[in-house]
Amino acid sequence: MYLSRPLAIAAVAATFACGSTPTNPASGQMPNPLPSGTVGVTIRDFTFSPASLTIKAGTTVRWTNNGPSAHTTTSDAGAWGSSALNPPGTGGSGYGGGGSAAGTFDFMFTQAGNYPYHCSLHPPSSYPGFTGTITVTP
């Protein structure tokens, strides 16, 4: 009993001393860092997070699918549309088992305005909360 307490304290101290780098829990892979001038939106469980985002013109938004099923990011007004973004670990198939990273899509916003969007595979008529808005300021 007396030996287990010092071992537990040492284990916790070693964990904090070594630090840790976050991994994608679904794939166990390291996340790709966002390039300078890029803001991230995560797609997971039929939600965009954050659902509302305000950025300056010239900023790129990167959508990353970290959920268990394929999704898209599709502008309501047709400004952009991604292909299906595969979930992490699918290796390009819908059945998983691969080691690939999550599907991503980048779009640079050059004009000020409001840009509502949704997933075309899971439309707002069936998934009313699965929408997002990008507000671009000059």
Side-chain angles (χ1 to χ4, degrees), residues 64-85:
T64 302
N65 182 5
N66 282 328
S69 54
H71 296 294
T72 70
T73 173
T74 305
S75 164
D76 291 358
W80 76 90
S82 73
S83 60
L85 304 177

Side-chain angles (χ1 to χ4, degrees), residues 3 21 24 32 51 62 74 92-93:
L3 185 57
T21 304
N24 180 331
N32 292 331
R62 173 176 289 170
T74 305
S93 75

Side-chain angles (χ1 to χ4, degrees), residues 12-76:
V12 169
T15 299
F16 285 110
C18 293
S20 64
T21 304
T23 59
N24 180 331
S27 68
Q29 294 185 342
M30 302 294 294
N32 292 331
L34 292 174
S36 178
T38 302
V39 177
V41 174
T42 300
I43 307 169
R44 185 175 185 94
D45 300 328
F46 305 101
T47 60
F48 295 103
S49 181
S52 296
L53 186 62
T54 300
I55 60 172
K56 289 189 176 274
T59 301
T60 297
V61 174
R62 173 176 289 170
W63 287 268
T64 302
N65 182 5
N66 282 328
S69 54
H71 296 294
T72 70
T73 173
T74 305
S75 164
D76 291 358

